[in-house]
Amino acid sequence: MFFQPTTVLEVKDLLADYKNAKLLAGGTDLLLEIKRDKINPKYLIDISHVDSLKEITDGEDEITIGSMVTFSQLLENPLIKTHFHSLIECAKGMGSPQIRNMATIGGNIINAQAAADSIPCIMSLDGVLVIESQKGIRKVSCESYFEYYSQERIKDDEILTKVILPKSNGLTGFYKLGKRNSLAIARMITSIYLSVENEIIKEIALCLGAVGKFPFRVKEIEREAIGKRIDWLYSEEPLNLLENSVYESIKERKSMPFKKEAIKGVYKAALKNVGWEDDRSDN
Ligand SMILES: Cc1cc2nc3c(=O)[nH]c(=O)nc-3n(C[C@H](O)[C@H](O)[C@H](O)COP(=O)(O)OP(=O)(O)OC[C@H]3O[C@@H](n4cnc5c(N)ncnc54)[C@H](O)[C@@H]3O)c2cc1C
């Protein structure tokens, strides 16, 4: 059975009434899975007619992105351009123009692929996921959602409605190595958020994608960096910590020797993308 609700309320009612129904957003992941017989949902709820999920809104301290916002929409949106450089960089690198027109941020997050482009980016921006069902609304940070995935993951009767990103004056950068269809070993992502005052690092979030089951923050580097001069980020020390953290995350995998080295280049490129004294990250 196929449903096309036009409000979130209707979606929640349908999810409560039809157990194991699947939500269909842009369909770029889900329709492939159905075509390849990986899943065969009895009930499909197409949420592409729920206009309230397609909005990007400006609040005093935060920007709210509806889960049905596509990557093309992100790329063109003035609020995103003003506040979240890394998200623009992330959207630019998502698939082809056709994919960017269809693929939604909600689908990218909920599909929970290790190499999903938006997850490390949203995580580094301290994003919060708003998840709703007939039972109520819960908010969970993107970081906690993936850190405690078995508890926090979306339930069958829930819909991700929004992603909330706090506004800040920090600098952001993003870099992805490799394309989806290239060798899996060559896929890696780094996303950075930095707040710097008088060349001293006040806040930092550094996230890696495609070097573990889910994207994660590199807390060792974040802890060390706070209070240091920004030059520290360009030194050998974070590179060693980075190597170690990738080693720990994927030590059983064949790709580990390549990835623990290659991540250093991906990190430097993301740092360069932040735009703080471009020439330093060239070495
Ligand atoms: C050729 C090609 C290239 C691609 N390139 C990239 C790439 O470069 N980077 C990348 O990260 N991905 C890439 N993808 C993967 C895909 O496009 C993204 O993951 C996309 O963002 C998924 O969004 P969607 O709207 O199409 O989701 P769908 O396919 O509609 O849904 C995906 C899953 O999420 C669930 N879901 C969707 N929305 C919600 C919601 N609001 N609440 C709860 N559950 C929901 C669905 O039920 C389903 O399980 C590519 C795919 C293709 C086919």
Side-chain angles (χ1 to χ4, degrees):
M1 265 166 111
F2 189 73
F3 303 94
Q4 283 194 322
T6 53
T7 65
V8 171
L9 196 65
E10 277 178 79
V11 177
K12 292 191 282 192
D13 288 346
L14 286 166
L15 286 171
D17 290 348
Y18 295 91
K19 303 287 169 228
N20 304 320
K22 265 276 174 205
L23 295 180
L24 174 67
T28 59
D29 281 321
L30 188 63
L31 295 179
L32 272 187
E33 285 180 30
I34 294 175
K35 209 167 145 194
R36 290 174 181 160
D37 281 331
K38 284 193 180 159
I39 55 165
N40 183 17
K42 203 164 156 197
Y43 308 110
L44 265 185
I45 305 173
D46 173 10
I47 53 173
S48 65
H49 294 267
V50 184
D51 288 341
S52 65
L53 298 177
K54 298 180 189 171
E55 291 167 2
I56 300 177
T57 51
D58 194 6
E60 200 173 323
D61 302 319
E62 57 202 29
I63 304 282
T64 301
I65 302 173
S67 62
M68 277 301 297
V69 166
T70 64
F71 286 88
S72 299
Q73 235 181 305
L74 287 175
L75 267 180
E76 283 154 21
N77 187 275
L79 288 170
I80 304 296
K81 280 187 197 166
T82 307
H83 294 280
F84 309 114
H85 164 71
S86 57
L87 191 51
I88 293 288
E89 291 295 303
C90 162
K92 268 189 208 163
M94 262 290 296
S96 58
Q98 292 93 320
I99 292 292
R100 288 196 286 276
N101 285 340
M102 307 276 295
T104 63
I105 190 153
N108 197 243
I109 295 169
I110 297 301
N111 210 38
Q113 291 292 306
D117 289 0
S118 72
I119 299 173
C121 185
I122 301 293
M123 215 182 257
S124 67
L125 295 171
D126 228 358
V128 170
L129 312 182
V130 181
I131 296 174
E132 300 189 33
S133 74
Q134 250 189 4
K135 292 176 204 138
I137 299 182
R138 66 182 173 109
K139 291 183 180 179
V140 54
S141 72
C142 184
E143 188 189 355
S144 299
Y145 185 86
F146 288 101
E147 191 172 351
Y148 306 106
Y149 189 71
S150 53
Q151 297 104 282
E152 297 289 1
R153 65 175 296 175
I154 201 145
K155 310 296 179 296
D156 286 346
D157 63 342
E158 291 181 322
I159 172 173
L160 170 68
T161 50
K162 297 168 210 158
V163 177
I164 300 174
L165 299 180
K167 285 180 187 170
S168 93
N169 296 322
L171 301 162
T172 64
F174 179 91
Y175 188 78
K176 164 168 92 165
L177 175 71
K179 291 202 183 300
R180 181 176 159 108
N181 292 333
S182 66
L183 282 175
I185 193 173
R187 285 219 1 108
M188 264 179 286
I189 299 163
T190 298
S191 191
I192 304 181
Y193 163 83
L194 262 184
S195 158
V196 180
E197 259 175 52
N198 300 324
E199 305 220 345
I200 301 294
I201 301 167
K202 294 286 173 196
E203 289 176 308
I204 175 168
L206 174 67
C207 297
L208 307 181
V211 288
K213 188 160 190 273
F214 298 121
F216 61 89
R217 283 174 70 160
V218 190
K219 299 281 182 176
E220 298 80 6
I221 294 185
E222 295 179 2
R223 269 194 302 269
E224 283 295 317
I226 301 287
K228 293 212 165 72
R229 290 179 63 83
I230 190 161
D231 300 53
W232 182 82
L233 290 176
Y234 300 85
S235 70
E236 278 298 308
E237 224 180 308
L239 297 182
N240 294 337
L241 291 170
L242 207 53
E243 179 178 346
N244 193 46
S245 129
V246 170
Y247 168 79
E248 287 298 333
S249 173
I250 54 169
K251 55 180 166 236
E252 313 295 341
R253 299 210 197 148
K254 270 196 197 148
S255 58
M256 181 274 287
F258 168 78
K259 286 197 167 181
K260 77 180 176 55
E261 290 306 319
I263 194 67
K264 297 176 192 173
V266 179
Y267 163 80
K268 286 183 188 176
L271 209 49
K272 183 168 179 151
N273 187 251
V274 166
W276 183 276
E277 296 193 34
D278 269 352
D279 51 344
R280 297 202 188 187
S281 47
D282 279 343
N283 328 316

